[in-house]
Amino acid sequence: MRKWLVVVVAVVSVTLVSGCSSREAGGEATVLNLTTTGMAFTPKDLSLDVGKAVKLVFKNEDSVLHDLSIDTIAVSKKVEKGDKHNDHGKEPDLHVAADAGKTGTVEFTPKAVGTYTFYCTVPGHKDAGMVGTLTVK
Ligand SMILES: [Cu+2]
């Protein structure tokens, strides 16, 4: 009789544990592709949903290093993968760099609605037109 009870408890426990290992919350990140050619971002206007994870794929098709930076933006779960450089004076809240012909990625979740300016921090590039707008809605 006691042995039977132990078996029932064991089966119930296994059922509960496996019930918790269903899909992870949050789901897949939205992939956003952005390319640089001829000292310009394409597209130069980006739109994202607040609270939704995004993977920004930054593809540099020019022959010099570029980056994409936003000085002030509230983001969470930020993971930056790209070429390291220290051209920017202060560390931007969001940054991804890619050397000539390379691709960098940054994953993040925007936390606040707003309109943000993104630009390339390499000296002279912003003035040459490497600037765009990110809208979080
Ligand atoms: Cu640049």
Side-chain angles (χ1 to χ4, degrees):
M1 186 62 181
R2 190 178 291 168
K3 194 174 178 185
W4 181 81
L5 188 65
V6 168
V7 169
V8 169
V9 169
V11 168
V12 169
S13 300
V14 168
T15 306
L16 289 175
V17 168
S18 61
C20 289
S21 63
S22 57
R23 277 195 43 183
E24 273 179 60
E28 291 281 291
T30 304
V31 175
L32 193 63
N33 290 292
L34 193 141
T35 304
T36 66
T37 42
M39 287 283 188
F41 293 112
T42 305
K44 61 182 295 173
D45 293 305
L46 305 176
S47 182
L48 296 175
D49 294 323
V50 68
K52 201 168 173 192
V54 61
K55 179 180 183 178
L56 178 61
V57 179
F58 180 69
K59 191 176 179 193
N60 183 359
E61 294 186 347
D62 274 328
S63 55
V64 294
L65 178 139
H66 290 304
D67 68 27
L68 183 156
S69 297
I70 298 177
D71 288 338
T72 307
I73 183 171
V75 298
S76 61
K77 299 175 187 167
K78 187 174 66 169
V79 182
E80 297 171 348
K81 286 178 190 156
D83 294 290
K84 297 268 184 278
H85 71 123
N86 295 303
D87 290 344
H88 31 79
K90 62 178 172 57
E91 210 52 48
D93 284 348
L94 192 72
H95 175 260
V96 59
D99 219 332
K102 298 280 184 61
T103 298
T105 64
V106 59
E107 293 180 48
F108 62 99
T109 302
K111 286 169 64 181
V113 169
T115 304
Y116 308 89
T117 298
F118 64 84
Y119 66 99
C120 180
T121 64
V122 178
H125 288 200
K126 186 182 180 185
D127 290 339
M130 293 200 74
V131 59
T133 303
L134 168 65
T135 304
V136 178
K137 54 180 172 35

